[in-house]
Amino acid sequence: MKQETIAIHAGDKKSENDVISPIHLSTTFKREKDGSYPNTDIYSRTSNPNRRALENTMARLEHAQVAAAFSSGSAAAASVFRALGKNDHAIVPTDMYHGIAKAIKNIFIPSAMDISFVDMTNLAELKDAIKANTKLIWIESPSNPLLKLTDINAVIKIAKSAGAILAVDNTWMPPNMQDVLAMGADIVVHSSTKYLAGHSDVIGGIVVSKYDDEFFKKIRLIQINEGAVPSPFDCWLILRGIKTLSYRMRGHNSNALKIAEYLENQAQIEQVLYPGLASHPQYEIAQKQMAEYGGMLSILLKGGEAVAMKLAANLEIFTRATSLGGVESLIEHRASIEGPDSLTPNNLLRISVGLEHIDDLIADLAQAFDKL
Ligand SMILES: *Cc1c(COP(=O)(O)O)cnc(C)c1O
């Protein structure tokens, strides 16, 4: 079955004459007279029909065996690090989602976890960082917010020869756009808040694992016994978003490419960072590993922070807000949201290209440039 069909039907466990599945709010499930449970559900933190529907659908969309849904992308990511043993070492990229980097620096490393930051675009640096006890390599490609690409095939080879698990934060690359499990990665993590849910109305995250192995069982234990689980309504909303994911992504990808091409020709632009442009420094890697180039791009403005701020303020259809992956276009000055230890250039604006008509988005950008 193809992605569009799986997305619409895999999660539906219909009862009565429902066309879509209901929201099961019950926290607890009844035993039969003989003490047995008629299905797998006992207590809703452990499992419930809506979460199972979401997890099964995501596992099928990623061609994986299992998935575990969490109450945020951050909780999903944390579970992967927390599943490591006390003598295990992990390697992460310097350019990565700032919230996870913050947890690594301020929570995991201070509690004695051994985690190294490397520039993942530099494979020699990655190889040098490998230790005998390296158990996990974490990558994010394209990276946030510089859209640097990691050569995923090359990192998979390095991870395999080190005997390490390769986990990919594929939030910016929903199923079908960058099939890292098929390439040989072990785990995919998504912030479901973004493209999966797609409407900026629910926070969630999910860990998808190619195999139901020991490492995943530990993640499942963390999910159930630490309990950072999404509510049944959250799961229902995310699954509803997933039903239109493929169609929304076509619009995000096509609008983003057109906007990137338009921006590249503006006099006030220093650089457009978008993997679908031939000018991207790693365009060849993009063509090798990305089926589509995504809905996210960043721009560097001539004239520094003041001009970047003014351009964002001049826009009327693009909303100035953090986050990404919703149907509405957003624009954001990343350095100010990331705070004082941010490495992001202060003339950078990050754009989440939405599904408004491309002509209206370009007209909005044109009037914002005119007013600079
Ligand atoms: C938003 C995001 C996260 C964190 O997800 P939350 O749902 O906000 O906790 C992780 N990784 C990437 C790439 C993101 O964009």
Side-chain angles (χ1 to χ4, degrees):
M1 223 184 260
K2 305 280 189 198
Q3 300 275 306
E4 289 83 349
T5 317
I6 294 171
I8 290 169
H9 292 291
D12 275 332
K13 276 277 179 296
K14 293 149 202 166
S15 55
E16 306 292 327
N17 294 325
D18 289 338
V19 171
I20 60 148
S21 47
I23 305 170
H24 291 259
L25 293 178
S26 188
T27 56
T28 186
F29 300 88
K30 195 166 69 182
R31 284 181 196 248
E32 297 296 351
K33 292 210 189 303
D34 65 2
S36 69
Y37 286 95
N39 58 36
T40 49
D41 300 318
I42 297 170
Y43 180 63
S44 187
R45 170 162 47 70
T46 309
S47 74
N48 63 65
N50 294 105
R51 198 167 85 214
R52 189 165 43 254
L54 170 61
E55 291 173 344
N56 289 346
T57 301
M58 277 306 291
R60 285 192 62 187
L61 289 175
E62 294 279 14
H63 312 292
Q65 285 185 350
V66 271
F70 287 84
S71 54
S72 69
S74 301
S79 77
V80 177
F81 290 93
R82 296 181 35 62
L84 292 168
K86 79 172 177 355
N87 296 319
D88 292 338
H89 169 242
I91 303 176
V92 301
T94 41
D95 192 35
M96 72 186 295
Y97 178 71
H98 77 110
I100 300 172
K102 197 167 175 182
I104 291 171
K105 289 177 194 156
N106 299 293
I107 305 169
F108 302 153
I109 293 177
S111 64
M113 287 175 72
D114 186 11
I115 305 177
S116 312
F117 284 87
V118 307
D119 176 357
M120 286 289 172
T121 63
N122 182 343
L123 297 173
E125 199 182 309
L126 172 61
K127 282 183 195 154
D128 282 350
I130 303 268
K131 302 184 192 179
N133 61 340
T134 301
K135 177 77 185 283
L136 173 72
I137 299 175
W138 176 280
I139 61 173
E140 185 185 326
S141 183
S143 71
N144 184 0
L146 295 175
L147 289 110
K148 287 191 197 168
L149 304 183
T150 299
D151 184 338
I152 298 172
N153 272 319
V155 173
I156 285 167
K157 277 196 200 123
I158 295 170
K160 290 225 184 306
S161 71
I165 291 164
L166 185 71
V168 184
D169 182 343
N170 233 3
T171 299
W172 288 21
M173 293 278 111
N176 237 6
M177 287 179 45
Q178 181 171 266
D179 199 352
V180 294
L181 295 185
M183 291 166 82
D186 305 285
I187 285 177
V188 171
V189 177
H190 290 281
S191 165
S192 334
T193 315
K194 314 295 170 50
Y195 290 108
L196 301 187
H199 295 76
S200 308
D201 52 12
V202 57
I203 299 280
I206 195 154
V207 177
V208 185
S209 176
K210 192 163 180 178
Y211 301 111
D212 191 7
D213 54 12
E214 284 311 304
F215 194 74
F216 181 78
K217 287 188 170 39
K218 186 91 183 278
I219 289 170
R220 181 70 85 198
L221 188 75
I222 292 168
Q223 177 201 35
I224 292 174
N225 294 92
E226 293 192 353
V229 289
S231 73
F233 183 48
D234 292 346
C235 295
W236 186 92
L237 270 178
I238 294 164
L239 196 56
R240 185 172 78 156
I242 287 171
K243 293 183 185 195
T244 55
L245 180 64
S246 300
Y247 292 92
R248 283 185 289 106
M249 291 321 299
R250 285 172 209 173
H252 288 294
N253 295 331
S254 121
N255 278 358
L257 179 60
K258 288 184 185 136
I259 285 182
E261 285 166 348
Y262 166 81
L263 287 168
E264 208 167 35
N265 292 315
Q266 302 309 306
Q268 298 93 333
I269 293 279
E270 185 182 294
Q271 199 181 356
V272 178
L273 302 170
Y274 185 66
L277 291 179
S279 62
H280 190 285
Q282 298 165 297
Y283 184 58
E284 265 179 44
I285 297 180
Q287 287 187 301
K288 262 198 319 199
Q289 66 192 30
M290 302 169 82
E292 302 286 346
Y293 303 111
M296 295 299 297
L297 56 102
S298 291
I299 52 176
L300 299 169
L301 276 297
K302 288 181 188 156
E305 179 168 356
V307 170
M309 288 297 201
K310 183 138 191 270
L311 181 73
N314 288 349
L315 288 162
E316 277 159 20
I317 296 176
F318 290 79
T319 303
R320 295 179 73 174
T322 194
S323 199
L324 61 111
V327 293
E328 63 289 307
S329 292
L330 302 179
I331 190 158
E332 177 183 35
H333 184 250
R334 279 306 286 177
S336 43
I337 188 106
E338 291 177 357
D341 56 356
S342 163
L343 302 171
T344 301
N346 64 11
N347 64 334
L348 179 145
L349 292 174
R350 189 186 78 180
I351 302 175
S352 171
V353 180
L355 299 179
E356 300 92 342
H357 196 283
I358 186 63
D359 296 349
D360 295 326
L361 293 177
I362 287 181
D364 193 25
L365 287 163
Q367 66 78 25
F369 277 114
D370 285 348
K371 282 200 212 139
L372 279 182

